[in-house]
Amino acid sequence: MTGYSVDGTRLWSRLMDMAEIGSTTDGGSHRLSLSQDDEDGRELFLAWCKNRGFAPVFDKIGNLFVRRAGRNPAAPPVVIGSHLDTQPNGGRFDGVLGVLAGLEVLETLEDLGIATVTPVEVAVWSNEEGARFQPAMMGSGVHCGVHPLAKALAATDASGIPVAQELKRFGYESGMEPGNRATGSYLELHIEQGPVLEQEEKTIGVVTGGQAIRWYTLTLSGEETHAGPMPMAMRRDPVRHLAAVTELVYRSGLSDPDARATIGKIETLPGSINVMPGQVCLSVDLRHPGEAALEHMHGALAEGIARLNAAAEGVDIRLEQIWHSPVVSFDPQLIEAVRTGAAARGYPSRDMVSGAGHDAFHLAKLVPATMIFVPCRDGISHNEREYTAPEHVEAGANVLLDVALQAAGVQAFAGGTE
C-alpha cells in the first residue's frame, strides 16, 4: 500500500454537508446549473478552499479553478475536476464526488507537506448536467473550444432565461476568457452510474474511454383544436403518431446489446385537458461505444422518421440533432497509473468504458486525461436514491491521489516515494 492516504472521514463529511444545499425530501440534491442553490454550493466549496489558503479564479462561462502551487510554477498543472450542479431531484455524489475528492487531494498534500513538481488544481465545470441549459458539459466544452462562448451565453432554459443573464447575476461575466487556463493533464473521479462494478464486486473502474452520444429534438406538429366539436377523422392530431415514433426510437436502442436509446422528455402543447394538442416535443438520447454503430443508429432513425413523416397526413414530423459527443479514448499512461494504483492498494478493479458523458471527454481532446469509477448502489444515478459507500468514496480518492502524485512529479506507490 502507498504511504499516503486521504482523510476519508473528512471527505465523507464534506459530501454530506454539500448535500444539504438544495436537499430534497427523499435524500437527494436539486442544484440546477446557475440557480441560487448551485451558487450556494459553489460558495461552500470556495469557503473550504479559502480556509486552506487556496485562492480561486473563474472564467466568463462560470468555470472555477483552485490551485496548489508546485515547485515549478510555470509548469501546466495536473487538473482534477468535475461539477457541482445536479439533475432535478438528483443524487448526492454525481459530479460532487469528483470536485470534493479533488479538494481532498489538495488538503492531503498540505497536511503531509508534500511538494509536487507541477501545480495541482481543482476545476469546477459549469453546467455539466445539461438539465437546465443545453448542451451538457457546457463549461468544459467552452473551455476546450468545442462550443463558442457566444453560443453558450445565448442558450436559454425552459423559462427563456439565458445563460448570460444568470452568469451576470453571480458576477461571472468579469472572469477571464475561457481556455486561458493551461492544463497539463486531467483526472476525474466519478461514480460509475451503472451496475457493473457492484455486480462484479470491483472497487475501482479503470475507465479507458467513453461511448458516443447523440441528442435530438423530435417534434410532431399538427393543429390544436377543441376536444369536443372537431370530428376525429378531420383532426390533425400529432399524438396519434406518437406511438409509432417512440417504437422507432426504442427499436434503435434494441439493435444490439451495446446500444442505448432514451426518450427523457415528452411534452404536449398547449397542454390543456380539453385541447387536442397541436404539437408534441420529445427528447431523444442515442448512445453506443462504437462510432460507426452510432452512425448507423442515427441513419436508421432519420430514415424511419422520414417514412413516418411521408405517411402522416396533416402532421409534420421533424428530427433535429442538437448535440454529438464522439467516442473518446483516454491516455494509456494515465489508464495504467489507475490500474497500478488500484493494485498497489489491493482494490479489485476492471477496465470499462463510460456509458455517460463527462467533462473529461472534452479535456481528452486537448491533454492526457482519464477517469476513475467507483460503484454506486444498484447502478442508480440521476435519482435521489443514488448512493456510494464511504469505503468506496475513500478508495476512489486514494487512487486519485496516487495518480495525481505520479502525474505531478511525485510517485506514491508501494515501496515508498521517489
Side-chain angles (χ1 to χ4, degrees):
M1 177 179 284
T2 178
Y4 305 137
S5 292
V6 301
D7 184 337
T9 300
R10 177 172 59 194
L11 175 54
W12 184 262
S13 177
R14 294 264 173 83
L15 286 164
M16 297 304 101
D17 288 344
M18 184 64 72
E20 291 300 309
I21 299 177
S23 61
T24 64
T25 55
D26 290 327
S29 295
H30 183 100
R31 293 189 304 273
L32 296 184
S33 179
L34 297 175
S35 66
Q36 186 61 57
D37 283 332
D38 184 28
E39 181 62 17
D40 289 346
R42 287 161 163 251
E43 290 297 329
L44 178 60
F45 166 74
L46 291 175
W48 289 328
C49 293
K50 291 173 183 176
N51 285 342
R52 297 304 298 262
F54 305 133
V57 297
F58 57 90
D59 67 15
K60 293 181 184 297
I61 197 62
N63 297 319
L64 301 175
F65 304 93
V66 177
R67 179 176 295 190
R68 182 178 187 266
R71 289 195 187 105
N72 180 4
V78 175
V79 177
I80 303 168
S82 202
H83 60 97
L84 293 174
D85 65 310
T86 74
Q87 290 285 331
N89 298 322
R92 295 176 288 171
F93 301 91
D94 175 4
V96 185
L97 173 59
V99 170
L100 298 188
L103 175 58
E104 179 58 37
V105 167
L106 297 193
E107 291 198 272
T108 298
L109 298 179
E110 285 288 295
D111 293 342
L112 301 177
I114 299 171
T116 57
V117 176
T118 71
V120 180
E121 186 167 279
V122 178
V124 181
W125 303 111
S126 183
N127 188 42
E128 190 275 349
E129 291 289 2
R132 182 183 179 195
F133 302 103
Q134 286 81 49
M137 296 135 61
M138 179 183 285
S140 59
V142 172
H143 173 84
C144 295
V146 176
H147 307 306
L149 175 61
K151 185 175 182 180
L153 294 177
T156 59
D157 67 8
S159 299
I161 299 173
V163 168
Q165 179 177 317
E166 297 294 71
L167 288 168
K168 184 176 182 180
R169 178 160 72 107
F170 297 120
Y172 292 112
E173 84 283 0
S174 63
M176 63 184 176
E177 290 298 319
N180 284 355
R181 195 76 170 173
T183 302
S185 57
Y186 181 77
L187 310 174
E188 186 167 352
L189 172 65
H190 209 281
I191 60 172
E192 179 196 349
Q193 300 182 284
V196 175
L197 292 176
E198 182 181 59
Q199 288 180 352
E200 297 187 4
E201 298 184 341
K202 305 294 186 183
T203 302
I204 299 295
V206 182
V207 188
T208 59
Q211 64 181 351
I213 307 169
R214 291 180 188 250
W215 281 5
Y216 306 84
T217 296
L218 212 169
T219 307
L220 297 83
S221 300
E223 183 176 51
E224 65 193 61
T225 188
H226 196 292
M230 181 64 72
M232 295 292 288
M234 296 177 64
R235 298 184 180 197
R236 296 175 54 200
D237 186 353
V239 180
R240 286 187 60 187
H241 304 277
L242 182 58
V245 167
T246 57
E247 172 62 24
L248 178 65
V249 171
Y250 284 106
R251 193 156 63 238
S252 70
L254 295 168
S255 58
D256 72 65
D258 291 327
R260 303 287 187 270
T262 303
I263 296 174
K265 294 191 297 183
I266 301 177
E267 181 181 19
T268 60
L269 299 172
S272 176
I273 193 168
N274 64 340
V275 177
M276 187 210 80
Q279 191 172 78
V280 182
C281 298
L282 300 82
S283 68
V284 177
D285 179 317
L286 299 185
R287 306 186 185 216
H288 200 286
E291 194 68 54
L294 185 64
E295 178 64 31
H296 178 76
M297 291 168 64
H298 166 80
L301 178 61
E303 290 172 9
I305 293 296
R307 288 194 300 271
L308 292 177
N309 190 44
E313 294 183 7
V315 173
D316 183 60
I317 306 174
R318 298 293 175 189
L319 181 71
E320 178 189 3
Q321 180 177 297
I322 59 174
W323 183 53
H324 176 208
S325 177
V327 167
V328 173
S329 296
F330 288 143
D331 180 73
Q333 290 185 321
L334 290 178
I335 292 170
E336 185 57 34
V338 175
R339 289 195 194 102
T340 304
R345 290 181 179 271
Y347 299 143
S349 68
R350 71 163 345 254
D351 286 8
M352 60 196 321
V353 173
S354 175
H358 299 284
D359 294 305
F361 289 18
H362 287 323
L363 274 295
K365 297 180 176 73
L366 301 181
V367 299
T370 199
M371 297 188 70
I372 302 163
F373 280 173
V374 291
C376 56
R377 188 166 59 196
D378 299 327
I380 296 294
S381 183
H382 288 184
N383 185 305
E384 292 168 294
R385 289 176 50 213
E386 180 181 280
Y387 181 79
T388 299
E391 62 269 23
H392 292 148
V393 165
E394 184 172 355
N398 276 329
V399 175
L400 179 68
L401 172 65
D402 292 345
V403 180
L405 284 170
Q406 180 171 341
V410 178
Q411 293 182 337
F413 300 121
T417 63
E418 294 182 10

